[in-house]
Amino acid sequence: GESVGLHLPTLSVQEGDNSIINCAYSNSASDYFIWYKQESGKGPQFIIDIRSNMDKRQGQRVTVLLNKTVKHLSLQIAATQPGDSAVYFCAENKNSGTYKYIFGTGTRLKVLA
Amino acid sequence: GAGVSQSPSNKVTEKGKDVELRCDPISGHTALYWYRQSLGQGLEFLIYFQGNSAPDKSGLPSDRFSAERTGGSVSTLTIQRTQQEDSAVYLCASSFGQGRNQPQHFGDGTRLSIL
């Protein structure tokens, strides 16, 4: 099927290594952030979220770090597996009940066997 | 199923034809979004529905685009007189409410190709 994001930055990692994917967000007023994973031919899948009152949040094999000073968000994937190969992108949302999110263009993660 | 369902999954049509894309959100989700995703681009917001409120249509790129949501559930995105630049993946998402701490759940999209 069609592959989304053919010209995205690519991160290649060896299976079993840790991966770090970065995102620079745009709005200093944003206070809620989400990481999505999008496999080829599929819709974006929610991975983990974080609010601006936190610096770090952990899930299963994933950790999100938030640095509000430099408006930077990162996703760390531990012990990367072939099934982690996908495009990852971040989304930011500003408080006050707004429903509009700003989505990044994404990074393609390739896991090498 | 329990997720957002979109149909058709693929649509190929000739320039100038009208197309209709369907989205069935997660049951109980009051918010519904349509996005467009082009190669190498971030998600482009098209339209937002929340309950019985008037939809936010500010993202629709032209008057050839329209959307409806009947009964607060299923939504249809219609593109009239399609152009080649309309070729993209059209994604639908739904959420339980709006704003903070309400992540959107996406369908797998409709891949639209205009010949």
mmCIF file of all heavy atoms in Angstrom, chain A residues 2-5 31-32 34 36 38 41-44 46 51 89 93 95 97-101 103-105, chain B residues 33 35 37-43 45 48 56 58 89 91 98-104 106-108 111:
data_model
loop_
_atom_site.group_PDB
_atom_site.id
_atom_site.type_symbol
_atom_site.label_atom_id
_atom_site.label_comp_id
_atom_site.label_asym_id
_atom_site.label_seq_id
_atom_site.Cartn_x
_atom_site.Cartn_y
_atom_site.Cartn_z
ATOM 1 N N GLU A 2 0.157 2.376 -0.067
ATOM 2 C CA GLU A 2 0.884 3.646 -0.117
ATOM 3 C C GLU A 2 1.659 3.869 1.162
ATOM 4 O O GLU A 2 1.171 3.611 2.256
ATOM 5 C CB GLU A 2 -0.106 4.779 -0.329
ATOM 6 C CG GLU A 2 0.529 6.154 -0.376
ATOM 7 C CD GLU A 2 -0.493 7.238 -0.560
ATOM 8 O OE1 GLU A 2 -1.593 6.942 -1.017
ATOM 9 O OE2 GLU A 2 -0.190 8.394 -0.245
ATOM 10 N N SER A 3 2.859 4.390 1.055
ATOM 11 C CA SER A 3 3.669 4.674 2.223
ATOM 12 C C SER A 3 3.626 6.163 2.479
ATOM 13 O O SER A 3 3.888 6.967 1.601
ATOM 14 C CB SER A 3 5.097 4.198 1.991
ATOM 15 O OG SER A 3 5.909 4.510 3.098
ATOM 16 N N VAL A 4 3.300 6.533 3.689
ATOM 17 C CA VAL A 4 3.210 7.940 4.040
ATOM 18 C C VAL A 4 4.569 8.442 4.472
ATOM 19 O O VAL A 4 5.282 7.792 5.201
ATOM 20 C CB VAL A 4 2.193 8.126 5.184
ATOM 21 C CG1 VAL A 4 2.170 9.558 5.649
ATOM 22 C CG2 VAL A 4 0.828 7.656 4.737
ATOM 23 N N GLY A 5 4.937 9.627 4.061
ATOM 24 C CA GLY A 5 6.147 10.239 4.596
ATOM 25 C C GLY A 5 7.405 9.668 4.017
ATOM 26 O O GLY A 5 8.338 9.334 4.739
ATOM 27 N N ASP A 31 0.408 22.645 26.418
ATOM 28 C CA ASP A 31 0.595 22.007 27.717
ATOM 29 C C ASP A 31 0.195 20.541 27.742
ATOM 30 O O ASP A 31 0.093 19.938 28.806
ATOM 31 C CB ASP A 31 -0.172 22.785 28.786
ATOM 32 C CG ASP A 31 -1.680 22.691 28.582
ATOM 33 O OD1 ASP A 31 -2.116 22.223 27.511
ATOM 34 O OD2 ASP A 31 -2.416 23.099 29.494
ATOM 35 N N TYR A 32 -0.057 19.986 26.579
ATOM 36 C CA TYR A 32 -0.385 18.569 26.516
ATOM 37 C C TYR A 32 0.201 18.028 25.233
ATOM 38 O O TYR A 32 0.033 18.620 24.157
ATOM 39 C CB TYR A 32 -1.905 18.372 26.553
ATOM 40 C CG TYR A 32 -2.370 16.948 26.426
ATOM 41 C CD1 TYR A 32 -1.966 15.981 27.333
ATOM 42 C CD2 TYR A 32 -3.236 16.566 25.399
ATOM 43 C CE1 TYR A 32 -2.396 14.670 27.217
ATOM 44 C CE2 TYR A 32 -3.677 15.266 25.275
ATOM 45 C CZ TYR A 32 -3.251 14.317 26.189
ATOM 46 O OH TYR A 32 -3.685 13.026 26.070
ATOM 47 N N ILE A 34 1.365 14.443 22.834
ATOM 48 C CA ILE A 34 1.117 13.035 22.538
ATOM 49 C C ILE A 34 2.162 12.550 21.536
ATOM 50 O O ILE A 34 2.550 13.294 20.626
ATOM 51 C CB ILE A 34 -0.287 12.833 21.909
ATOM 52 C CG1 ILE A 34 -1.385 13.406 22.804
ATOM 53 C CG2 ILE A 34 -0.552 11.356 21.633
ATOM 54 C CD1 ILE A 34 -2.765 13.382 22.143
ATOM 55 N N TYR A 36 2.551 9.615 18.654
ATOM 56 C CA TYR A 36 1.823 8.638 17.852
ATOM 57 C C TYR A 36 2.809 7.794 17.051
ATOM 58 O O TYR A 36 3.875 8.261 16.657
ATOM 59 C CB TYR A 36 0.879 9.329 16.865
ATOM 60 C CG TYR A 36 -0.379 9.891 17.477
ATOM 61 C CD1 TYR A 36 -0.460 11.230 17.823
ATOM 62 C CD2 TYR A 36 -1.494 9.083 17.696
ATOM 63 C CE1 TYR A 36 -1.622 11.756 18.362
ATOM 64 C CE2 TYR A 36 -2.656 9.606 18.236
ATOM 65 C CZ TYR A 36 -2.711 10.938 18.568
ATOM 66 O OH TYR A 36 -3.860 11.451 19.118
ATOM 67 N N GLN A 38 2.829 5.464 13.520
ATOM 68 C CA GLN A 38 2.051 5.176 12.324
ATOM 69 C C GLN A 38 2.794 4.169 11.456
ATOM 70 O O GLN A 38 3.844 4.485 10.892
ATOM 71 C CB GLN A 38 1.741 6.448 11.532
ATOM 72 C CG GLN A 38 0.787 6.210 10.373
ATOM 73 C CD GLN A 38 0.327 7.484 9.701
ATOM 74 O OE1 GLN A 38 0.991 8.509 9.786
ATOM 75 N NE2 GLN A 38 -0.810 7.428 9.030
ATOM 76 N N GLY A 41 0.408 2.105 5.854
ATOM 77 C CA GLY A 41 -0.948 1.705 5.510
ATOM 78 C C GLY A 41 -1.929 1.746 6.664
ATOM 79 O O GLY A 41 -3.088 1.332 6.513
ATOM 80 N N LYS A 42 -1.483 2.251 7.809
ATOM 81 C CA LYS A 42 -2.350 2.307 8.988
ATOM 82 C C LYS A 42 -2.531 3.739 9.452
ATOM 83 O O LYS A 42 -1.789 4.637 9.063
ATOM 84 C CB LYS A 42 -1.712 1.503 10.140
ATOM 85 C CG LYS A 42 -1.508 0.035 9.837
ATOM 86 C CD LYS A 42 -2.794 -0.723 9.973
ATOM 87 C CE LYS A 42 -2.546 -2.230 9.910
ATOM 88 N NZ LYS A 42 -3.814 -2.983 10.040
ATOM 89 N N GLY A 43 -3.522 3.943 10.307
ATOM 90 C CA GLY A 43 -3.693 5.244 10.922
ATOM 91 C C GLY A 43 -2.769 5.406 12.106
ATOM 92 O O GLY A 43 -2.204 4.437 12.612
ATOM 93 N N PRO A 44 -2.572 6.643 12.570
ATOM 94 C CA PRO A 44 -1.724 6.884 13.747
ATOM 95 C C PRO A 44 -2.279 6.175 14.979
ATOM 96 O O PRO A 44 -3.495 6.149 15.192
ATOM 97 C CB PRO A 44 -1.782 8.401 13.917
ATOM 98 C CG PRO A 44 -2.162 8.931 12.567
ATOM 99 C CD PRO A 44 -3.076 7.901 11.981
ATOM 100 N N PHE A 46 -2.030 5.919 19.153
ATOM 101 C CA PHE A 46 -1.595 6.578 20.382
ATOM 102 C C PHE A 46 -0.579 5.709 21.118
ATOM 103 O O PHE A 46 -0.790 4.513 21.303
ATOM 104 C CB PHE A 46 -2.815 6.821 21.273
ATOM 105 C CG PHE A 46 -2.503 7.325 22.650
ATOM 106 C CD1 PHE A 46 -2.364 8.671 22.883
ATOM 107 C CD2 PHE A 46 -2.355 6.442 23.707
ATOM 108 C CE1 PHE A 46 -2.087 9.140 24.165
ATOM 109 C CE2 PHE A 46 -2.081 6.906 24.983
ATOM 110 C CZ PHE A 46 -1.949 8.250 25.204
ATOM 111 N N ARG A 51 1.623 15.694 30.255
ATOM 112 C CA ARG A 51 1.179 17.063 30.501
ATOM 113 C C ARG A 51 2.378 17.922 30.862
ATOM 114 O O ARG A 51 3.409 17.422 31.298
ATOM 115 C CB ARG A 51 0.139 17.077 31.624
ATOM 116 C CG ARG A 51 -1.119 16.328 31.291
ATOM 117 C CD ARG A 51 -2.214 16.620 32.315
ATOM 118 N NE ARG A 51 -1.899 16.166 33.643
ATOM 119 C CZ ARG A 51 -2.156 14.939 34.091
ATOM 120 N NH1 ARG A 51 -2.712 14.041 33.297
ATOM 121 N NH2 ARG A 51 -1.867 14.604 35.323
ATOM 122 N N PHE A 89 5.392 10.498 15.289
ATOM 123 C CA PHE A 89 5.274 11.942 15.315
ATOM 124 C C PHE A 89 4.595 12.409 16.598
ATOM 125 O O PHE A 89 3.850 11.677 17.242
ATOM 126 C CB PHE A 89 4.544 12.478 14.074
ATOM 127 C CG PHE A 89 3.162 11.956 13.855
ATOM 128 C CD1 PHE A 89 2.069 12.610 14.409
ATOM 129 C CD2 PHE A 89 2.931 10.839 13.066
ATOM 130 C CE1 PHE A 89 0.792 12.150 14.195
ATOM 131 C CE2 PHE A 89 1.652 10.370 12.851
ATOM 132 C CZ PHE A 89 0.572 11.025 13.418
ATOM 133 N N ASN A 93 -0.983 20.328 22.137
ATOM 134 C CA ASN A 93 -2.313 20.912 22.334
ATOM 135 C C ASN A 93 -2.219 21.990 23.397
ATOM 136 O O ASN A 93 -1.550 21.812 24.415
ATOM 137 C CB ASN A 93 -3.291 19.824 22.747
ATOM 138 C CG ASN A 93 -4.687 20.356 22.996
ATOM 139 O OD1 ASN A 93 -5.070 20.580 24.134
ATOM 140 N ND2 ASN A 93 -5.443 20.554 21.946
ATOM 141 N N ASN A 95 -3.979 24.398 26.224
ATOM 142 C CA ASN A 95 -5.032 24.259 27.216
ATOM 143 C C ASN A 95 -6.259 25.096 26.849
ATOM 144 O O ASN A 95 -6.410 25.573 25.745
ATOM 145 C CB ASN A 95 -4.505 24.666 28.589
ATOM 146 C CG ASN A 95 -5.406 24.176 29.695
ATOM 147 O OD1 ASN A 95 -6.359 23.438 29.462
ATOM 148 N ND2 ASN A 95 -5.124 24.603 30.909
ATOM 149 N N GLY A 97 -9.268 24.022 26.739
ATOM 150 C CA GLY A 97 -10.297 23.240 26.073
ATOM 151 C C GLY A 97 -10.241 23.277 24.571
ATOM 152 O O GLY A 97 -11.174 22.834 23.909
ATOM 153 N N THR A 98 -9.177 23.823 24.007
ATOM 154 C CA THR A 98 -9.115 23.843 22.557
ATOM 155 C C THR A 98 -8.973 22.431 22.017
ATOM 156 O O THR A 98 -8.330 21.577 22.617
ATOM 157 C CB THR A 98 -7.965 24.715 22.062
ATOM 158 O OG1 THR A 98 -8.003 24.761 20.635
ATOM 159 C CG2 THR A 98 -6.617 24.157 22.495
ATOM 160 N N TYR A 99 -9.574 22.198 20.897
ATOM 161 C CA TYR A 99 -9.548 20.868 20.316
ATOM 162 C C TYR A 99 -8.510 20.756 19.216
ATOM 163 O O TYR A 99 -8.345 19.701 18.626
ATOM 164 C CB TYR A 99 -10.928 20.523 19.747
ATOM 165 C CG TYR A 99 -11.527 21.638 18.929
ATOM 166 C CD1 TYR A 99 -11.147 21.828 17.612
ATOM 167 C CD2 TYR A 99 -12.434 22.517 19.486
ATOM 168 C CE1 TYR A 99 -11.678 22.860 16.865
ATOM 169 C CE2 TYR A 99 -12.966 23.551 18.738
ATOM 170 C CZ TYR A 99 -12.596 23.714 17.433
ATOM 171 O OH TYR A 99 -13.120 24.729 16.695
ATOM 172 N N LYS A 100 -7.832 21.845 18.914
ATOM 173 C CA LYS A 100 -6.913 21.791 17.782
ATOM 174 C C LYS A 100 -5.525 21.368 18.226
ATOM 175 O O LYS A 100 -4.955 21.927 19.150
ATOM 176 C CB LYS A 100 -6.849 23.144 17.076
ATOM 177 C CG LYS A 100 -8.105 23.433 16.291
ATOM 178 C CD LYS A 100 -7.892 24.518 15.276
ATOM 179 C CE LYS A 100 -9.157 24.690 14.442
ATOM 180 N NZ LYS A 100 -9.094 25.870 13.575
ATOM 181 N N TYR A 101 -5.024 20.386 17.556
ATOM 182 C CA TYR A 101 -3.689 19.897 17.800
ATOM 183 C C TYR A 101 -2.771 20.335 16.657
ATOM 184 O O TYR A 101 -3.203 20.500 15.523
ATOM 185 C CB TYR A 101 -3.672 18.366 17.876
ATOM 186 C CG TYR A 101 -4.213 17.797 19.164
ATOM 187 C CD1 TYR A 101 -5.576 17.811 19.428
ATOM 188 C CD2 TYR A 101 -3.363 17.256 20.120
ATOM 189 C CE1 TYR A 101 -6.073 17.287 20.603
ATOM 190 C CE2 TYR A 101 -3.853 16.729 21.304
ATOM 191 C CZ TYR A 101 -5.211 16.750 21.534
ATOM 192 O OH TYR A 101 -5.705 16.231 22.704
ATOM 193 N N PHE A 103 0.435 18.892 14.685
ATOM 194 C CA PHE A 103 1.136 17.624 14.499
ATOM 195 C C PHE A 103 2.478 17.855 13.808
ATOM 196 O O PHE A 103 2.577 18.635 12.863
ATOM 197 C CB PHE A 103 0.302 16.678 13.633
ATOM 198 C CG PHE A 103 -0.976 16.233 14.289
ATOM 199 C CD1 PHE A 103 -2.138 16.983 14.157
ATOM 200 C CD2 PHE A 103 -1.024 15.065 15.028
ATOM 201 C CE1 PHE A 103 -3.320 16.571 14.755
ATOM 202 C CE2 PHE A 103 -2.205 14.645 15.629
ATOM 203 C CZ PHE A 103 -3.351 15.401 15.488
ATOM 204 N N GLY A 104 3.496 17.165 14.277
ATOM 205 C CA GLY A 104 4.782 17.185 13.610
ATOM 206 C C GLY A 104 4.744 16.312 12.364
ATOM 207 O O GLY A 104 3.817 15.532 12.167
ATOM 208 N N THR A 105 5.767 16.443 11.536
ATOM 209 C CA THR A 105 5.812 15.665 10.297
ATOM 210 C C THR A 105 6.319 14.253 10.525
ATOM 211 O O THR A 105 6.051 13.358 9.729
ATOM 212 C CB THR A 105 6.688 16.346 9.242
ATOM 213 O OG1 THR A 105 7.967 16.621 9.818
ATOM 214 C CG2 THR A 105 6.064 17.662 8.783
ATOM 215 N N TYR B 33 -12.986 14.296 14.213
ATOM 216 C CA TYR B 33 -12.109 15.136 13.411
ATOM 217 C C TYR B 33 -11.869 14.482 12.046
ATOM 218 O O TYR B 33 -11.783 13.252 11.954
ATOM 219 C CB TYR B 33 -10.730 15.270 14.065
ATOM 220 C CG TYR B 33 -10.680 15.772 15.477
ATOM 221 C CD1 TYR B 33 -11.071 14.969 16.550
ATOM 222 C CD2 TYR B 33 -10.176 17.042 15.763
ATOM 223 C CE1 TYR B 33 -10.985 15.424 17.857
ATOM 224 C CE2 TYR B 33 -10.074 17.497 17.071
ATOM 225 C CZ TYR B 33 -10.479 16.682 18.101
ATOM 226 O OH TYR B 33 -10.383 17.141 19.396
ATOM 227 N N TYR B 35 -8.886 14.795 9.011
ATOM 228 C CA TYR B 35 -7.586 15.330 8.649
ATOM 229 C C TYR B 35 -7.218 14.838 7.253
ATOM 230 O O TYR B 35 -7.711 13.813 6.786
ATOM 231 C CB TYR B 35 -6.491 14.838 9.614
ATOM 232 C CG TYR B 35 -6.609 15.324 11.022
ATOM 233 C CD1 TYR B 35 -7.272 14.565 11.989
ATOM 234 C CD2 TYR B 35 -6.034 16.535 11.418
ATOM 235 C CE1 TYR B 35 -7.350 15.000 13.302
ATOM 236 C CE2 TYR B 35 -6.120 16.969 12.737
ATOM 237 C CZ TYR B 35 -6.778 16.189 13.660
ATOM 238 O OH TYR B 35 -6.868 16.623 14.954
ATOM 239 N N GLN B 37 -3.656 13.870 5.069
ATOM 240 C CA GLN B 37 -2.237 13.583 5.232
ATOM 241 C C GLN B 37 -1.634 13.352 3.850
ATOM 242 O O GLN B 37 -2.004 12.419 3.149
ATOM 243 C CB GLN B 37 -2.027 12.340 6.113
ATOM 244 C CG GLN B 37 -0.588 12.070 6.474
ATOM 245 C CD GLN B 37 -0.456 10.896 7.432
ATOM 246 O OE1 GLN B 37 -1.155 9.895 7.321
ATOM 247 N NE2 GLN B 37 0.446 11.015 8.407
ATOM 248 N N SER B 38 -0.701 14.232 3.503
ATOM 249 C CA SER B 38 -0.003 14.102 2.229
ATOM 250 C C SER B 38 1.421 13.649 2.498
ATOM 251 O O SER B 38 1.935 13.767 3.612
ATOM 252 C CB SER B 38 -0.001 15.448 1.489
ATOM 253 O OG SER B 38 -1.329 15.894 1.281
ATOM 254 N N LEU B 39 2.077 13.136 1.454
ATOM 255 C CA LEU B 39 3.423 12.604 1.592
ATOM 256 C C LEU B 39 4.343 13.633 2.242
ATOM 257 O O LEU B 39 4.464 14.767 1.772
ATOM 258 C CB LEU B 39 3.983 12.187 0.236
ATOM 259 C CG LEU B 39 3.387 10.919 -0.383
ATOM 260 C CD1 LEU B 39 3.964 10.692 -1.766
ATOM 261 C CD2 LEU B 39 3.650 9.718 0.502
ATOM 262 N N GLY B 40 5.009 13.225 3.321
ATOM 263 C CA GLY B 40 5.994 14.076 3.967
ATOM 264 C C GLY B 40 5.424 15.263 4.710
ATOM 265 O O GLY B 40 6.184 16.140 5.131
ATOM 266 N N GLN B 41 4.115 15.291 4.901
ATOM 267 C CA GLN B 41 3.474 16.422 5.573
ATOM 268 C C GLN B 41 2.870 15.987 6.896
ATOM 269 O O GLN B 41 2.519 14.820 7.085
ATOM 270 C CB GLN B 41 2.364 16.995 4.692
ATOM 271 C CG GLN B 41 2.811 17.416 3.300
ATOM 272 C CD GLN B 41 3.754 18.596 3.342
ATOM 273 O OE1 GLN B 41 3.570 19.524 4.113
ATOM 274 N NE2 GLN B 41 4.787 18.558 2.530
ATOM 275 N N GLY B 42 2.745 16.926 7.801
ATOM 276 C CA GLY B 42 2.018 16.673 9.029
ATOM 277 C C GLY B 42 0.528 16.625 8.739
ATOM 278 O O GLY B 42 0.082 16.969 7.647
ATOM 279 N N LEU B 43 -0.233 16.208 9.697
ATOM 280 C CA LEU B 43 -1.678 16.126 9.524
ATOM 281 C C LEU B 43 -2.271 17.521 9.356
ATOM 282 O O LEU B 43 -1.992 18.424 10.130
ATOM 283 C CB LEU B 43 -2.320 15.442 10.724
ATOM 284 C CG LEU B 43 -1.913 13.988 10.960
ATOM 285 C CD1 LEU B 43 -2.645 13.434 12.171
ATOM 286 C CD2 LEU B 43 -2.208 13.151 9.737
ATOM 287 N N PHE B 45 -5.517 19.693 9.487
ATOM 288 C CA PHE B 45 -6.875 19.722 10.040
ATOM 289 C C PHE B 45 -7.874 20.167 8.974
ATOM 290 O O PHE B 45 -7.653 21.146 8.267
ATOM 291 C CB PHE B 45 -6.910 20.692 11.226
ATOM 292 C CG PHE B 45 -8.286 21.019 11.716
ATOM 293 C CD1 PHE B 45 -8.961 20.160 12.562
ATOM 294 C CD2 PHE B 45 -8.910 22.203 11.338
ATOM 295 C CE1 PHE B 45 -10.230 20.473 13.028
ATOM 296 C CE2 PHE B 45 -10.176 22.526 11.797
ATOM 297 C CZ PHE B 45 -10.850 21.662 12.646
ATOM 298 N N TYR B 48 -14.033 19.735 12.393
ATOM 299 C CA TYR B 48 -14.207 19.183 13.733
ATOM 300 C C TYR B 48 -15.679 19.238 14.112
ATOM 301 O O TYR B 48 -16.344 20.265 13.925
ATOM 302 C CB TYR B 48 -13.384 20.003 14.709
ATOM 303 C CG TYR B 48 -13.693 19.800 16.178
ATOM 304 C CD1 TYR B 48 -13.233 18.689 16.851
ATOM 305 C CD2 TYR B 48 -14.432 20.748 16.886
ATOM 306 C CE1 TYR B 48 -13.499 18.509 18.203
ATOM 307 C CE2 TYR B 48 -14.698 20.575 18.234
ATOM 308 C CZ TYR B 48 -14.229 19.457 18.885
ATOM 309 O OH TYR B 48 -14.490 19.278 20.218
ATOM 310 N N ASP B 56 -16.597 23.121 13.342
ATOM 311 C CA ASP B 56 -15.531 24.034 12.930
ATOM 312 C C ASP B 56 -15.050 23.592 11.563
ATOM 313 O O ASP B 56 -14.360 22.600 11.447
ATOM 314 C CB ASP B 56 -14.398 24.008 13.953
ATOM 315 C CG ASP B 56 -13.226 24.912 13.550
ATOM 316 O OD1 ASP B 56 -13.229 25.452 12.419
ATOM 317 O OD2 ASP B 56 -12.295 25.055 14.352
ATOM 318 N N SER B 58 -13.135 25.426 9.566
ATOM 319 C CA SER B 58 -12.106 26.371 9.152
ATOM 320 C C SER B 58 -10.968 25.742 8.367
ATOM 321 O O SER B 58 -10.237 26.439 7.665
ATOM 322 C CB SER B 58 -11.546 27.101 10.377
ATOM 323 O OG SER B 58 -10.949 26.174 11.269
ATOM 324 N N VAL B 89 -4.178 10.846 1.872
ATOM 325 C CA VAL B 89 -4.858 9.957 2.813
ATOM 326 C C VAL B 89 -5.747 10.825 3.700
ATOM 327 O O VAL B 89 -5.286 11.813 4.274
ATOM 328 C CB VAL B 89 -3.850 9.185 3.687
ATOM 329 C CG1 VAL B 89 -4.577 8.342 4.725
ATOM 330 C CG2 VAL B 89 -2.959 8.307 2.816
ATOM 331 N N LEU B 91 -7.853 10.989 6.992
ATOM 332 C CA LEU B 91 -7.942 10.318 8.280
ATOM 333 C C LEU B 91 -9.068 10.902 9.113
ATOM 334 O O LEU B 91 -9.269 12.114 9.136
ATOM 335 C CB LEU B 91 -6.631 10.463 9.052
ATOM 336 C CG LEU B 91 -5.431 9.699 8.503
ATOM 337 C CD1 LEU B 91 -4.144 10.243 9.103
ATOM 338 C CD2 LEU B 91 -5.551 8.218 8.793
ATOM 339 N N GLN B 98 -13.093 17.002 24.385
ATOM 340 C CA GLN B 98 -12.135 17.810 23.651
ATOM 341 C C GLN B 98 -11.043 18.299 24.580
ATOM 342 O O GLN B 98 -11.154 18.292 25.780
ATOM 343 C CB GLN B 98 -12.828 19.019 23.027
ATOM 344 C CG GLN B 98 -13.386 20.004 24.057
ATOM 345 C CD GLN B 98 -14.078 21.187 23.395
ATOM 346 O OE1 GLN B 98 -14.696 21.038 22.364
ATOM 347 N NE2 GLN B 98 -13.953 22.345 23.984
ATOM 348 N N GLY B 99 -9.943 18.741 23.940
ATOM 349 C CA GLY B 99 -8.916 19.417 24.699
ATOM 350 C C GLY B 99 -7.988 18.509 25.469
ATOM 351 O O GLY B 99 -7.694 17.390 25.067
ATOM 352 N N ARG B 100 -7.557 18.993 26.615
ATOM 353 C CA ARG B 100 -6.481 18.336 27.325
ATOM 354 C C ARG B 100 -6.847 16.933 27.766
ATOM 355 O O ARG B 100 -7.982 16.629 28.114
ATOM 356 C CB ARG B 100 -6.079 19.175 28.535
ATOM 357 C CG ARG B 100 -7.114 19.215 29.643
ATOM 358 C CD ARG B 100 -6.774 20.229 30.707
ATOM 359 N NE ARG B 100 -5.427 20.084 31.199
ATOM 360 C CZ ARG B 100 -4.929 20.817 32.192
ATOM 361 N NH1 ARG B 100 -5.676 21.722 32.768
ATOM 362 N NH2 ARG B 100 -3.688 20.667 32.591
ATOM 363 N N ASN B 101 -5.840 16.113 27.744
ATOM 364 C CA ASN B 101 -5.968 14.736 28.214
ATOM 365 C C ASN B 101 -7.016 13.921 27.459
ATOM 366 O O ASN B 101 -7.550 12.960 27.989
ATOM 367 C CB ASN B 101 -6.312 14.707 29.709
ATOM 368 C CG ASN B 101 -5.266 15.401 30.538
ATOM 369 O OD1 ASN B 101 -4.184 15.698 30.070
ATOM 370 N ND2 ASN B 101 -5.609 15.677 31.775
ATOM 371 N N GLN B 102 -7.298 14.329 26.262
ATOM 372 C CA GLN B 102 -8.247 13.582 25.453
ATOM 373 C C GLN B 102 -7.602 13.219 24.131
ATOM 374 O O GLN B 102 -7.811 13.868 23.111
ATOM 375 C CB GLN B 102 -9.524 14.409 25.206
ATOM 376 C CG GLN B 102 -10.279 14.769 26.450
ATOM 377 C CD GLN B 102 -10.878 13.551 27.139
ATOM 378 O OE1 GLN B 102 -10.950 12.469 26.572
ATOM 379 N NE2 GLN B 102 -11.296 13.717 28.387
ATOM 380 N N PRO B 103 -6.775 12.186 24.142
ATOM 381 C CA PRO B 103 -6.094 11.814 22.900
ATOM 382 C C PRO B 103 -7.082 11.377 21.841
ATOM 383 O O PRO B 103 -8.113 10.783 22.138
ATOM 384 C CB PRO B 103 -5.191 10.663 23.332
ATOM 385 C CG PRO B 103 -5.806 10.122 24.573
ATOM 386 C CD PRO B 103 -6.440 11.293 25.266
ATOM 387 N N GLN B 104 -6.741 11.680 20.627
ATOM 388 C CA GLN B 104 -7.567 11.285 19.506
ATOM 389 C C GLN B 104 -7.179 9.882 19.058
ATOM 390 O O GLN B 104 -6.014 9.518 19.038
ATOM 391 C CB GLN B 104 -7.379 12.270 18.353
ATOM 392 C CG GLN B 104 -7.812 13.677 18.710
ATOM 393 C CD GLN B 104 -7.400 14.683 17.673
ATOM 394 O OE1 GLN B 104 -7.430 14.404 16.486
ATOM 395 N NE2 GLN B 104 -6.987 15.845 18.119
ATOM 396 N N PHE B 106 -7.415 7.292 15.905
ATOM 397 C CA PHE B 106 -7.549 7.408 14.467
ATOM 398 C C PHE B 106 -8.005 6.106 13.812
ATOM 399 O O PHE B 106 -7.697 5.012 14.281
ATOM 400 C CB PHE B 106 -6.199 7.782 13.844
ATOM 401 C CG PHE B 106 -5.774 9.194 14.097
ATOM 402 C CD1 PHE B 106 -5.158 9.559 15.276
ATOM 403 C CD2 PHE B 106 -5.999 10.171 13.131
ATOM 404 C CE1 PHE B 106 -4.766 10.867 15.509
ATOM 405 C CE2 PHE B 106 -5.601 11.482 13.347
ATOM 406 C CZ PHE B 106 -4.989 11.827 14.537
ATOM 407 N N GLY B 107 -8.712 6.288 12.694
ATOM 408 C CA GLY B 107 -8.950 5.162 11.803
ATOM 409 C C GLY B 107 -7.749 4.958 10.901
ATOM 410 O O GLY B 107 -6.767 5.699 10.984
ATOM 411 N N ASP B 108 -7.832 3.963 10.032
ATOM 412 C CA ASP B 108 -6.725 3.671 9.130
ATOM 413 C C ASP B 108 -6.753 4.514 7.855
ATOM 414 O O ASP B 108 -5.865 4.399 7.012
ATOM 415 C CB ASP B 108 -6.715 2.189 8.764
ATOM 416 C CG ASP B 108 -6.199 1.324 9.904
ATOM 417 O OD1 ASP B 108 -5.497 1.878 10.791
ATOM 418 O OD2 ASP B 108 -6.497 0.122 9.927
ATOM 419 N N ARG B 111 -7.319 6.116 1.350
ATOM 420 C CA ARG B 111 -6.281 6.565 0.422
ATOM 421 C C ARG B 111 -6.958 6.944 -0.879
ATOM 422 O O ARG B 111 -7.426 6.087 -1.615
ATOM 423 C CB ARG B 111 -5.253 5.459 0.224
ATOM 424 C CG ARG B 111 -4.338 5.364 1.405
ATOM 425 C CD ARG B 111 -3.878 3.932 1.677
ATOM 426 N NE ARG B 111 -3.251 3.858 2.984
ATOM 427 C CZ ARG B 111 -3.937 3.754 4.134
ATOM 428 N NH1 ARG B 111 -5.246 3.664 4.125
ATOM 429 N NH2 ARG B 111 -3.299 3.729 5.263
#
